[in-house]
Amino acid sequence: MTSPGKARPGIVELDADLQRTVRRTSYMRQLFYFVVLLVALAGQVSGAVEALGIPLLWAIPAVGALELGGIVVLANADVRRRLGERATASRVLSAAIAGFAVAFNWMAHENKLLAGFFAGMSALGYLVWLMHTENQRRDRLRATGDLPPTTPAYEVVGHWIRHPWITLRAKNLAKADERLGLYTSLAAARSEKRKEVRTKAIAKVLHRKIRAAVDPTTADIAVAVYDLDEIAVRLADGADYDGLTALIAADLSPARLASDARVISVVDEPHRPAITEAAQEPVEEQLQLPEVAEVPEAPEVPVAPQPAVSPLGEWRGEIAEILPPPAPRRARGQSKVVTAEQIAPDLGDEPTLTPSRAIREGSLRSQVHAALHEHVPDNDPRDTMALTSFVGDLLELNDVERLTASNYVRTWKREVDAGRRASVNGRHLQDVIPTKR
């Protein structure tokens, strides 16, 4: 901020131009008020002569006193207000005299168009003098420091409409400090808003921390006593920006984002089979049929001639050779006997999970069901999570495939439980029907 003795040349030129404008405006205002006063007096005199029948010689001083009475009383009120008084009575009396002069000009003329013209000029003269008096009063108050300085001209759309509260705060700051300009006041308002939010958050955390150790009243006293701004400064000085940046960068790493997206897609679509390594092989390698274990040749037996088989039957036979053999069916009412060795194997020899070739081939669902049919008895007490872990270890599945396999284990267990209930219900009916007979 430049000192008054070292003001910039541009400011000096602006001040000189302002002084010339003030003098020119003063001359124009005096001339304008003199003309308006003459027109208003002419209307008052003609109305008094026509309506009241007062001689012209006596009408001129009478209506002149009426027209100038409002101005004189208003000037007296301005003097008293500059001395610190409110001068309410003088201001009300001045407004009443001016109102009576306007009403007399309107009612004293039969031609209402002419009456409106004279009444308007009388009201215009009083209002111009009132505005000039108020301007001088504000200038005096601003010079003595009793009135805030003029604020910057903020934009209507860019400031008042888009950010009304920030603009209002900036205007109040500019009133308190006249050195703040347009953009500096807006920047100070935004900084003050951020400071309020930060202080509120620090006070909330501090109150919660102290209240956890002492009573709430002591926590309120501590929040009121401690300088929250000083706490904010010390927190900013001791902030670990490198650590926070590394923490956020770790969450935004491409490898982690890719793995998270893959897990989310599997969880959102549990019915979709996971992509195994076999599915990623070339198409030519996938079309190769799996090797079938060699079977010892059986002795030749004469076979009766068979009817012709359709190609569909031949394909069905080839597919049946590829798929794993179905589990043997039990007769209704017959339960499978499970020995103690099947439920709890010998602890001396650690069992090896080696799936057969038929289990390793096919989709993930068929692999899981085949492994469960072959290695899990019907009355196995393990739940779905334990069976999923068992199948995952047996088939050497990864984490994503284990998520998909858990759904297949759940459906297999549901089917087994439904079959067990059906067999129990059938055996119960066989026991009940002979009794009724």
Side-chain angles (χ1 to χ4, degrees):
M1 190 72 183
T2 58
S3 61
K6 298 181 179 179
R8 291 177 296 177
I11 300 297
V12 175
E13 293 178 0
L14 290 176
D15 292 341
D17 182 70
L18 178 60
Q19 293 177 0
R20 290 193 298 270
T21 304
V22 168
R23 289 194 299 268
R24 184 170 57 251
T25 305
S26 177
Y27 297 149
M28 294 176 61
R29 182 178 60 253
Q30 293 175 6
L31 178 62
F32 170 79
Y33 187 77
F34 179 75
V35 174
V36 169
L37 180 61
L38 288 180
V39 175
L41 285 176
Q44 296 280 0
V45 170
S46 61
V49 172
E50 294 177 4
L52 301 178
I54 300 176
L56 180 61
L57 184 62
W58 298 101
I60 294 177
V63 297
L66 177 64
E67 188 69 28
L68 295 176
I71 302 300
V72 172
V73 177
L74 182 62
N76 184 33
D78 180 59
V79 173
R80 305 313 302 176
R81 293 178 69 187
R82 292 188 182 189
L83 295 176
E85 299 179 5
R86 293 186 178 273
T88 304
S90 299
R91 294 162 64 187
V92 171
L93 179 60
S94 173
I97 295 174
F100 180 77
V102 173
F104 180 79
N105 259 334
W106 171 261
M107 299 176 64
H109 297 84
E110 296 181 357
N111 188 354
K112 294 303 176 184
L113 181 62
L114 183 62
F117 173 74
F118 286 132
M121 295 300 289
S122 180
L124 180 62
Y126 179 80
L127 293 177
V128 169
W129 185 269
L130 178 64
M131 293 174 58
H132 173 63
T133 304
E134 290 296 325
N135 292 336
Q136 288 182 334
R137 176 178 172 273
R138 284 196 302 271
D139 292 340
R140 178 179 177 82
L141 293 177
R142 189 172 292 113
T144 57
D146 296 330
L147 190 70
T150 55
T151 58
Y154 300 98
E155 299 178 4
V156 177
V157 177
H159 296 151
W160 286 110
I161 295 180
R162 294 186 60 186
H163 309 286
W165 299 114
I166 294 294
T167 307
L168 182 60
R169 187 189 294 265
K171 183 177 180 180
N172 294 331
L173 292 175
K175 287 181 179 179
D177 189 357
E178 61 180 359
R179 295 174 300 177
L180 295 178
L182 174 63
Y183 297 103
T184 53
S185 62
L186 291 172
R190 295 189 181 95
S191 178
E192 191 178 67
K193 180 63 177 178
R194 289 193 298 268
K195 181 180 177 181
E196 288 183 359
V197 174
R198 179 183 61 192
T199 304
K200 184 178 179 180
I202 293 175
K204 185 177 181 181
V205 174
L206 183 62
H207 190 276
R208 186 174 66 247
K209 293 291 185 181
I210 299 178
R211 188 177 56 185
V214 295
D215 57 290
T217 304
T218 306
D220 295 338
I221 296 174
V223 171
V225 169
Y226 282 106
D227 188 1
L228 302 181
D229 294 335
E230 181 65 23
I231 295 176
V233 171
R234 296 189 181 186
L235 286 175
D237 293 339
D240 186 7
Y241 291 98
D242 296 335
L244 291 176
T245 304
L247 182 62
I248 298 175
D251 293 336
L252 297 178
S253 62
R256 180 163 184 173
L257 292 176
S259 62
D260 292 344
R262 186 177 180 184
V263 171
I264 291 174
S265 63
V266 172
V267 172
D268 292 341
E269 302 179 6
H271 62 278
R272 182 178 179 180
I275 302 176
T276 59
E277 295 180 358
Q280 298 178 358
E281 295 179 356
V283 180
E284 298 180 356
E285 297 181 2
Q286 295 183 15
L287 295 178
Q288 295 179 1
L289 296 177
E291 299 179 0
V292 182
E294 297 182 0
V295 181
E297 297 181 0
E300 297 182 0
V301 179
V303 181
Q306 300 291 337
V309 182
S310 63
L312 181 60
E314 296 179 358
W315 295 342
R316 186 177 299 169
E318 294 177 0
I319 295 173
E321 293 178 358
I322 296 174
L323 296 177
R329 296 183 179 179
R330 297 188 298 275
R332 178 175 296 179
Q334 179 183 359
S335 61
K336 182 177 179 180
V337 179
V338 181
T339 61
E341 289 79 2
Q342 294 177 344
I343 297 177
D346 189 2
L347 299 177
D349 299 333
E350 183 179 356
T352 57
L353 301 176
T354 305
S356 61
R357 180 178 297 276
I359 294 178
R360 290 180 179 274
E361 297 168 355
S363 64
L364 181 60
R365 183 177 182 276
S366 62
Q367 295 178 26
V368 172
H369 283 198
L372 293 173
H373 280 302
E374 182 174 348
H375 295 279
V376 178
D378 292 345
N379 56 350
D380 191 273
R382 288 175 287 183
D383 56 357
T384 304
M385 185 178 298
L387 292 177
T388 303
S389 178
F390 169 75
V391 172
D393 296 338
L394 180 64
L395 300 178
E396 299 180 354
L397 304 178
N398 55 26
D399 295 339
V400 179
E401 293 174 344
R402 285 174 186 263
L403 291 174
T404 308
S406 63
N407 297 318
Y408 301 148
V409 172
R410 189 179 296 105
T411 56
W412 178 86
K413 190 172 181 62
R414 191 183 301 114
E415 294 174 0
V416 171
D417 293 342
R420 187 183 301 113
R421 287 194 298 270
S423 63
V424 172
N425 293 335
R427 183 167 60 253
H428 177 69
L429 290 176
Q430 290 179 1
D431 295 339
V432 173
I433 291 174
T435 304
K436 291 184 178 180
R437 292 179 181 176

